[in-house]
Amino acid sequence: MYSMSQSSYIGYVGTYTKGESDGIYSFTLDKEQATIKNVKLAATIDNPTYLTISEDNQSLYSVVKEGESGGVAAFSLKSATGELQKLNQQVLEGAPPCHVSVGIANRNVFSANYHKGTVESYLVSEDGTINLPSSIVYHHGSGPDERQEKPHTHYAAFTPDEKYVVAVDLGTDQVISYSLNEGNLVEKSIFTVKPGSGPRHLVFHPLNQSLAYLMTEFSSEVVVLKYHSEDGHFTEIQTISTLPTDFTENNQGSAIHLSSDGRFVYAANRGHDSIAVFSVNADNGTLTFIEHTSTYGNWPRDFVLDPSEDFLVATNQNSSNLVLYSRNKETGLLTMLQSDVKVPDPVCVKFIKI
């Protein structure tokens, strides 16, 4: 396991393999030199667009595509070297999922399938291998936007207390909470956002776990939510735009993350090609906009804070580059350090935990 005093961290990038990419790439963030280096192919696999790493750093799970089918692949991870070894995969007929998450004890993996409008629940064996889905739920409905012709599940993961699995559906403008009974998903509550918003990803406040922040793709907003653990339902507290008021071109919101002290929210804009920085009100969780920072590339699909949170790494999908920023922990502001790190068609970025 890593220590905070170490001078480098290992990260991974999930990609689309429709172009020059061959799979999952790894890199090293050198804290002392404040640079990303040693970018290399870590695993050859088709379309590993989203990744997640277990809390014990022993396993990595990835979206995988195989022919016209798709699912989730399991890898063992050697945290000292970053080496990945594929254990197995579970592939179902039809398009692959777009999101994958893992529970704290590495016993449950969930995937969200944009094309099918489904959530899949997998049980994980002691050796880290993934079993066939124990439960698959299908969403129903549509939204007013032409891209909401049917359900498009974009996120599925445990709540922090692991009482519920929350799914975010871009196609139906819904956040759906499920209980999990021996691997089976059972619907408990539905929260509906403003029609046409296109909700995409959800993050919980790390300290006040009754607060959650929902990123919308179509309306480019962050919706501040209160999470009610007694029955899994959500209520809205605030909605705030991630864009400048005078920006009228195409934009699609993408990733959202919080600092571990709960003081700052970061949200990425594809089109405006920026990361919006917000401060968090410690009393009620509401957001105040601070600034926009350019992503120095095209179509920022994802980003991540490094384990020390002194840095932030963003992935620009269409310009095939990673961008490294330093982060001021007191102000939340970002300063670009390096923007020429080449990774083909990057989507998701994750660090080995400390």
Side-chain angles (χ1 to χ4, degrees):
M1 195 70 75
Y2 280 166
S3 66
M4 285 297 288
S5 61
Q6 72 179 65
S7 61
S8 64
Y9 301 120
I10 297 172
Y12 299 91
V13 184
T15 69
Y16 278 111
T17 54
K18 56 191 176 184
E20 297 179 2
S21 172
D22 291 316
I24 300 171
Y25 290 79
S26 64
F27 64 89
T28 301
L29 170 57
D30 187 316
K31 281 189 64 181
E32 294 179 355
Q33 297 183 14
T35 57
I36 290 174
K37 54 189 183 182
N38 301 332
V39 176
K40 60 184 178 182
L41 183 66
T44 301
I45 184 172
D46 197 6
N47 267 24
T49 53
Y50 206 86
L51 317 171
T52 190
I53 296 173
S54 62
E55 287 295 318
D56 63 5
N57 288 332
Q58 300 298 303
S59 302
L60 181 147
Y61 300 94
S62 164
V63 169
V64 61
K65 183 176 185 290
E66 186 177 83
E68 297 304 312
S69 300
V72 177
F75 295 84
S76 66
L77 189 161
K78 294 183 179 178
S79 58
T81 62
E83 180 184 351
L84 296 178
Q85 181 177 355
K86 189 175 179 183
L87 297 175
N88 78 324
Q89 65 183 35
Q90 297 294 351
V91 173
L92 305 174
E93 184 178 347
C98 64
H99 184 271
V100 60
S101 66
V102 61
I104 294 171
N106 198 31
R107 291 291 171 261
N108 303 93
V109 165
F110 308 101
S111 64
N113 196 300
Y114 176 92
H115 296 283
K116 297 179 183 178
T118 57
V119 179
E120 295 82 23
S121 170
Y122 302 84
L123 295 175
V124 179
S125 299
E126 291 286 341
D127 62 359
T129 57
I130 189 170
N131 297 289
L132 282 167
S134 55
S135 182
I136 301 175
V137 293
Y138 292 81
H139 291 171
H140 302 280
S142 59
D145 191 282
E146 62 181 10
R147 295 164 290 183
Q148 295 178 306
E149 80 289 358
K150 64 178 183 177
H152 291 302
T153 320
H154 219 303
Y155 166 97
F158 267 133
T159 54
D161 56 19
E162 296 203 339
K163 287 182 65 176
Y164 304 97
V165 177
V166 178
V168 177
D169 198 304
L170 177 145
T172 64
D173 293 317
Q174 291 177 328
V175 178
I176 307 172
S177 299
Y178 297 92
S179 62
L180 188 69
N181 183 4
E182 296 182 348
N184 293 311
L185 296 163
V186 180
E187 184 183 304
K188 300 300 288 187
S189 73
I190 297 177
F191 170 78
T192 302
V193 300
K194 179 177 63 181
S197 298
R200 180 182 173 91
H201 274 199
L202 182 77
V203 289
F204 283 83
H205 194 285
L207 304 179
N208 182 353
Q209 295 179 348
S210 66
L211 290 171
Y213 298 84
L214 179 68
M215 182 71 179
T216 66
E217 179 171 321
F218 297 161
S219 63
S220 302
E221 293 170 318
V222 178
V223 185
V224 184
L225 301 173
K226 182 174 177 59
Y227 162 61
H228 302 267
S229 62
E230 64 273 13
D231 61 1
H233 85 275
F234 291 87
T235 51
E236 183 176 339
I237 297 173
Q238 178 197 24
T239 296
I240 187 169
S241 177
T242 64
L243 291 171
T245 55
D246 59 351
F247 186 81
T248 58
E249 299 172 43
N250 173 54
N251 188 77
Q252 296 177 26
S254 57
I256 182 168
H257 297 287
L258 280 96
S259 55
S260 62
D261 60 8
R263 295 178 57 200
F264 300 101
V265 165
Y266 299 88
N269 291 304
R270 296 173 296 177
H272 189 247
D273 294 339
S274 67
I275 295 175
V277 185
F278 301 90
S279 63
V280 180
N281 183 302
D283 294 325
N284 58 22
T286 57
L287 301 182
T288 301
F289 173 76
I290 299 176
E291 73 162 6
H292 289 105
T293 301
S294 171
T295 61
Y296 300 90
N298 186 356
W299 217 245
R301 184 68 175 262
D302 194 17
F303 62 90
V304 69
L305 296 170
D306 82 300
S308 71
E309 301 197 354
D310 291 324
F311 301 93
L312 183 147
V313 178
T315 63
N316 286 302
Q317 180 184 333
N318 291 351
S319 52
S320 292
N321 67 309
L322 306 187
V323 182
L324 176 65
Y325 303 85
S326 62
R327 189 181 84 93
N328 186 312
K329 290 182 177 179
E330 292 306 310
T331 65
L333 300 181
L334 304 174
T335 302
M336 194 273 284
L337 300 175
Q338 188 181 12
S339 62
D340 60 352
V341 182
K342 296 299 180 184
V343 174
D345 299 306
V347 178
C348 172
V349 58
K350 300 289 185 187
F351 277 100
I352 293 177
K353 300 173 175 67
I354 58 169

